[in-house]
Amino acid sequence: MKLTVFHSLSLAALISVGAVAVKADEAMDGRMTYELFEHTVEHADLAGCPPEFDPDTQFCRMTLADKRAHVFVFGLEGDQPLQAVKSYELSEGLPAF
């Protein structure tokens, strides 16, 4: 029984890795879509974006890395392409929008 569960979990892991690899191939045209970002980058959803971005046409997600907060800005239209990345030093805390 334990061996069967192990094999099932191993197969699930391989399928997941394969799905990510297929999605990565889709990005080979040089564009990052939100779908690819959503499945491959750990992030936090933001209620809003920095003031210079239009909430009617864009939405934002944030990552923390290298002692900075990185805000990724995606368009709402089509396949929701990445339009900008803005980084903030964390020495003053998390950015508030």
Side-chain angles (χ1 to χ4, degrees):
M1 177 65 181
K2 288 183 180 180
L3 188 57
T4 303
V5 172
F6 176 76
H7 283 245
S8 296
L9 293 174
S10 297
L11 181 58
L14 285 174
I15 291 169
S16 296
V17 169
V20 170
V22 169
K23 290 189 180 300
D25 286 345
E26 293 171 4
M28 296 307 290
D29 67 358
R31 296 181 330 129
M32 169 72 82
T33 64
Y34 181 67
E35 181 180 8
L36 178 61
F37 179 86
E38 172 73 19
H39 296 289
T40 59
V41 178
E42 285 191 44
H43 63 277
D45 294 354
L46 297 176
C49 289
E52 62 266 32
F53 299 104
D54 182 3
D56 293 330
T57 61
Q58 298 168 312
F59 66 99
C60 294
R61 300 296 186 254
M62 183 174 64
T63 66
L64 299 175
D66 195 30
K67 299 180 184 176
R68 292 177 169 199
H70 306 280
V71 176
F72 291 76
V73 182
F74 294 91
L76 289 171
E77 297 294 320
D79 59 0
Q80 300 175 311
L82 178 66
Q83 296 180 338
V85 178
K86 188 166 183 177
S87 298
Y88 299 87
E89 293 291 331
L90 289 175
S91 58
E92 298 178 19
L94 288 172
F97 322 115

